[in-house]
Amino acid sequence: DAKTTQPTSMDCAEGRAANLPCNHSTISGNEYVYWYRQIHSQGPQYIIHGLKNNETNEMASLIITEDRKSSTLILPHATLRDTAVYYCIVRNLNTDKLIFGTGTRLQVFP
Amino acid sequence: DTEVTQTPKHLVMGMTNKKSLKCEQHMGHRAMYWYKQKAKKPPELMFVYSYEKLSINESVPSRFSPECPNSSLLNLHLHALQPEDSALYLCASSLSGYGGNTIYFGEGSWLTVV
């Protein structure tokens, strides 16, 4: 599976959009981009995933560049409850595995 | 409903004890996973079961023994553990092993080995 690179930490003001970047320059055509988050002491929570096109759901939007080498997770109106570690993961279509990297620690402040 | 239930939430065991962690899902998922997470580290994959057969073992020591008695249940049997095995153990499931199927996680079992 392709490796991902994320900033170690980010801050965001409450009510503003949080834009979390992820680089996956070695991604191949049969690999999805997944985003999970983990709030302290809880299990990882699925947020969104995509293959080529941008995706949106009730939690977030996922923007994937045309060359698929990077993506951005957007939380449109961050709240204090969005403070968590956010993991960007590249997952092969044909695999059972989901391998976590080190993630981005997002701190939302009042 | 995307619920994966893990019991117990907390477990303290001695190094000579035998204990088990349990995981249950009723979503009709046929792939189930065990992950281990140490403090301030990302989850690490341990085992994957696909259609009740062990499909992936990430070189986990034999003191951890997984079992999948049926498609809804996944156990992790623990024996002769070491203090460094203290961690959060996460169970997860997905519809199948296909990479486009979302994997859903439980809240985890906190294990302390004394």
Side-chain angles (χ1 to χ4, degrees):
Chain A
D1 291 339
K3 298 232 182 277
T4 61
T5 304
Q6 298 178 254
T8 303
S9 63
M10 295 181 65
D11 290 338
C12 179
E14 191 177 19
R16 304 296 295 268
N19 297 288
L20 291 90
C22 180
N23 284 320
H24 31 78
S25 58
T26 60
I27 194 170
S28 61
N30 63 347
E31 291 179 318
Y32 279 91
V33 179
Y34 274 81
W35 283 84
Y36 281 78
R37 73 181 182 184
Q38 189 171 24
I39 297 168
H40 183 61
S41 301
Q42 297 182 19
Q45 179 188 22
Y46 166 77
I47 302 173
I48 199 166
H49 73 280
L51 186 61
K52 296 180 186 177
N53 299 321
N54 298 337
E55 303 287 345
T56 296
N57 63 21
E58 65 278 3
M59 287 184 69
S61 295
L62 173 60
I63 310 298
I64 302 175
T65 57
E66 192 168 341
D67 63 7
R68 301 185 69 242
K69 293 187 176 184
S70 66
S71 60
T72 301
L73 179 75
I74 301 172
L75 307 178
H77 304 286
T79 71
L80 299 178
R81 289 177 294 178
D82 292 323
T83 293
V85 177
Y86 286 77
Y87 295 101
C88 170
I89 303 165
V90 172
R91 183 180 179 203
N92 192 286
L93 280 175
N94 301 312
T95 184
D96 289 343
K97 294 186 180 184
L98 189 74
I99 305 298
F100 289 80
T102 52
T104 296
R105 184 169 298 275
L106 175 69
Q107 179 70 52
V108 180
F109 58 91
Chain B
D1 182 12
T2 55
E3 189 169 347
V4 177
T5 304
Q6 292 188 241
T7 55
K9 290 198 184 325
H10 298 272
L11 177 65
V12 179
M13 62 183 291
M15 289 187 284
T16 59
N17 291 160
K18 285 186 181 181
K19 296 286 185 184
S20 298
L21 304 179
K22 298 185 185 303
C23 175
E24 191 167 359
Q25 56 85 16
H26 296 288
M27 297 178 278
H29 288 178
R30 302 309 298 272
M32 296 187 77
Y33 309 74
W34 280 115
Y35 283 78
K36 173 182 176 180
Q37 186 173 25
K38 301 281 284 183
K40 299 189 178 182
K41 297 289 187 182
E44 296 178 0
L45 182 64
M46 299 174 73
F47 302 104
V48 181
Y49 272 82
S50 182
Y51 292 87
E52 297 149 55
K53 290 190 185 336
L54 184 64
S55 62
I56 296 174
N57 176 343
E58 293 286 89
S59 302
V60 178
S62 59
R63 58 186 183 269
F64 295 93
S65 175
E67 178 198 20
C68 189
N70 60 56
S71 59
S72 299
L73 295 175
L74 185 67
N75 298 321
L76 186 63
H77 302 300
L78 314 169
H79 174 54
L81 295 193
Q82 302 297 310
E84 58 265 29
D85 296 321
S86 298
L88 177 66
Y89 288 84
L90 294 159
C91 176
S93 72
S94 70
L95 192 61
S96 73
Y98 171 60
N101 289 325
T102 301
I103 297 177
Y104 297 98
F105 286 81
E107 291 302 313
S109 292
W110 289 94
L111 174 67
T112 303
V113 181
V114 297

